[in-house]
Amino acid sequence: MSAHCQLTGRKPGFGRTISHSHRRTPRRFDPNIQRKRYWLPSEGRHVRLRLSAKGVKTVDLIGIEAAVARIRARGEKV
C-alpha cells in the first residue's frame, strides 16, 4: 500500500537519522495512513479510503460527500 493520503495528498518526507556518534543515514518519515470505510449515501454504497490522521479529521469536519468530491477532483478513483 502506498504511503500517501487520498484526501490531503500527504506523502513520505525524507531526511536523515543522526546517531549518537553523529553519523547520518537516510530515512523516511511516513504519514500516519489508516484505511477507513465510510458510507456514501448519494451512491448507496461504502467507500474505503486511505487517509492520514489529519485526513480522517478533515472528513469529520467537511463530511464524506465533500471529501469524495475533493478526491475525485484530484483525479483519483473512489
Side-chain angles (χ1 to χ4, degrees):
M1 178 168 68
S2 63
H4 84 279
C5 177
Q6 288 181 298
L7 181 60
T8 62
R10 288 180 181 240
K11 293 182 180 178
F14 295 90
R16 296 189 179 266
T17 298
I18 302 179
S19 69
H20 182 70
S21 64
H22 222 64
R23 294 189 64 175
R24 292 173 169 89
T25 54
R27 64 157 293 183
R28 257 169 72 136
F29 294 90
D30 285 329
N32 184 8
I33 299 294
Q34 309 293 325
R35 284 187 65 151
K36 291 284 287 179
R37 187 171 168 243
Y38 290 99
W39 174 252
L40 195 58
S42 65
E43 297 181 16
R45 67 183 183 105
H46 286 95
V47 291
R48 192 178 300 271
L49 302 174
R50 290 185 313 273
L51 300 171
S52 62
K54 179 159 184 167
V56 172
K57 293 175 190 176
T58 303
V59 170
D60 292 343
L61 184 69
I62 66 173
I64 186 62
E65 297 288 344
V68 167
R70 282 190 194 179
I71 292 169
R72 288 183 173 148
R74 293 181 67 219
E76 289 196 41
K77 185 178 174 186
V78 176

